[in-house]
Amino acid sequence: MATFAPPTLGSETIFHIGSFQIRNTLITSWIVIAFIALGAYLYYRKSKKLVPAGWQNFVEMLVEGILNFFETITGDRDLAKKFMPICGTIFLYIFISNLFGLFPGFGTIGIYEMHNGHEILVPFLRSVNADVNMTAGIALISVVMTQVYGLTTLKLGYLKKFFVNPFKDPVGTFVGILELVSEFAKIVSFTFRLFGNIFAGEVLLAVIAFLVPFIAPLPFYGLEMFVAFVQALVFSLLTLVFFTMATVSHEDHEAHHEGREGSGHTSSRNVPVGQQINQIS
Amino acid sequence: MDKNLFVALAMIGGTIGPAFAIGMLAGKAMDAIGRNPEAASKIQTAMILAIAFAEAIAIYALVVALIIKFV
């Protein structure tokens, strides 16, 4: 019986350009980017028909579907259009790269190399989001853009959310500190939510394929495709909700302070989400 | 003692709470959809968001477990 080797936690270096390491996840992400760019180019090249058909029809349906969905979250078509380039890109990129990671050959075809005394398989390709660096990168883009949108729409009024005069409103000061901490907690939870789900999926598939090589892994592939969709949806949805929350002025939040101070940052974030939902209906 | 035991304990302790939270959230959402089926899409969106927040707690446990395991 062969020994079971779970996927490694970090990505592996395939080759170097100068001192820059080219890792297997980076190669996969280039393939995904090329795939998306090719799709966009095929749409761009053909002249647009008034009655769409084929690829043009599919792309327009996709973009319009995402835009309509975003409109139900932001409650405003213009706001949805404003946030569409970032949130829609995050959704499409994460979804497609998650699906790419399920192709046969990912994480299995490679060369054996010696690492710290044992021989491990270094795969040429690896699911993009099974690398903390990639998910941390997208999480940073999302959180930094939240601050940028907040500052550009509310100007300095955005900072009132974090810094409150302790002599006027001591409870508000404490809530402001929690808000500030929760901005950093967002990065961590964004990063590890996506990484954890995708990496756990890789390990799950490896374990099932090791225990029962035939038929049994099939339902788990279905599960992983579902997880790929849900995680892409959650990432883009949360980004969109944070963008929307950052562009709503502080006065609207005031009424919810009582419920917030209780327990940590998760409850402090849940309240605006509820408020978000109220706004929709 | 074996390191893996602590990893398992961290995951046990950290996933019970979110498991109940997600179950409760989904159950309440089902109730709401049953009462008002037209609002299903809005409820689903809100449910997925809330579940993502509950899941974040389990992810903190996962981070701790990974740190114990690999650091």
Side-chain angles (χ1 to χ4, degrees):
Chain A
M1 208 173 180
T3 52
F4 172 66
T8 50
L9 191 62
S11 53
E12 288 91 2
T13 310
I14 302 295
F15 61 92
H16 293 79
I17 295 178
S19 63
F20 187 74
Q21 297 178 343
I22 305 297
R23 302 222 162 196
N24 44 15
T25 45
L26 186 59
I27 295 173
T28 317
S29 76
W30 286 341
I31 295 172
V32 173
I33 291 167
F35 182 79
I36 297 173
L38 182 73
Y41 178 72
L42 285 180
Y43 173 77
Y44 170 79
R45 197 190 50 176
K46 283 227 180 114
S47 60
K48 309 293 172 293
K49 297 184 195 78
L50 197 62
V51 181
W55 185 241
Q56 187 194 351
N57 198 1
F58 177 74
V59 173
E60 285 180 4
M61 189 191 77
L62 193 71
V63 170
E64 204 170 344
I66 294 175
L67 195 57
N68 283 338
F69 176 64
F70 283 179
E71 196 188 341
T72 64
I73 309 291
T74 55
D76 180 9
R77 187 83 175 178
D78 292 332
L79 216 54
K81 272 186 186 163
K82 188 180 171 192
F83 298 147
M84 172 85 182
I86 289 188
C87 299
T89 307
I90 287 177
F91 174 77
L92 286 177
Y93 179 69
I94 293 178
F95 184 49
I96 292 174
S97 57
N98 284 350
L99 288 185
F100 256 82
L102 295 177
F103 274 132
F106 275 70
T108 47
I109 299 174
I111 42 169
Y112 279 98
E113 269 180 20
M114 294 298 283
H115 270 271
N116 302 332
H118 5 210
E119 202 169 44
I120 57 159
L121 181 71
V122 176
F124 294 130
L125 297 168
R126 179 188 163 101
S127 185
V128 177
N129 292 315
D131 184 347
V132 186
N133 301 308
M134 173 50 89
T135 57
I138 310 174
L140 278 173
I141 290 172
S142 158
V143 172
V144 168
M145 282 314 287
T146 308
Q147 318 307 321
V148 169
Y149 277 131
L151 284 173
T152 49
T153 48
L154 301 180
K155 308 286 183 251
L156 287 175
Y158 177 67
L159 297 175
K160 274 190 219 156
K161 193 168 130 194
F162 304 119
F163 304 107
V164 183
N165 188 348
F167 297 105
K168 274 189 193 157
D169 185 4
V171 176
T173 312
F174 184 63
V175 172
I177 295 168
L178 280 184
E179 289 276 353
L180 202 60
V181 173
S182 91
E183 292 297 313
F184 292 98
K186 268 181 207 170
I187 304 178
V188 178
S189 64
F190 263 140
T191 305
F192 285 99
R193 178 180 300 118
L194 186 55
F195 168 73
N197 274 285
I198 302 305
F199 182 69
E202 300 248 299
V203 175
L204 176 73
L205 287 177
V207 170
I208 296 296
F210 176 72
L211 292 175
V212 188
F214 301 107
I215 313 292
L218 273 178
F220 291 94
Y221 269 95
L223 176 75
E224 285 313 311
M225 285 170 80
F226 178 67
V227 167
F229 174 72
V230 167
Q231 289 310 314
L233 182 73
V234 162
F235 207 113
S236 58
L237 208 58
L238 283 180
T239 306
L240 186 68
V241 167
F242 290 147
F243 282 179
T244 318
M245 268 163 55
T247 49
V248 172
S249 75
H250 180 66
E251 276 63 42
D252 302 343
H253 292 250
E254 207 84 286
H256 293 278
H257 270 179
E258 284 73 30
R260 264 202 223 180
E261 62 210 67
S263 51
H265 67 277
T266 40
S267 73
S268 78
R269 283 191 308 192
N270 272 343
V271 174
V273 170
Q275 176 197 329
Q276 193 67 41
I277 305 312
N278 290 338
Q279 199 183 317
I280 298 166
S281 50
Chain B
M1 259 195 281
D2 191 7
K3 226 184 199 180
N4 286 334
L5 180 67
F6 295 109
V7 174
L9 284 176
M11 285 313 288
I12 290 168
T15 46
I16 287 176
F20 275 109
I22 291 171
M24 223 177 261
L25 276 166
K28 294 275 180 191
M30 301 293 158
D31 276 356
I33 292 173
R35 226 174 282 137
N36 187 4
E38 290 95 69
S41 62
K42 284 178 186 175
I43 293 168
Q44 269 165 358
T45 314
M47 182 187 78
I48 288 175
L49 272 181
I51 284 179
F53 284 123
E55 203 192 37
I57 314 295
I59 287 153
Y60 298 146
L62 176 76
V63 174
V64 171
L66 287 178
I67 289 171
I68 298 172
K69 173 90 179 163
F70 292 101
V71 178

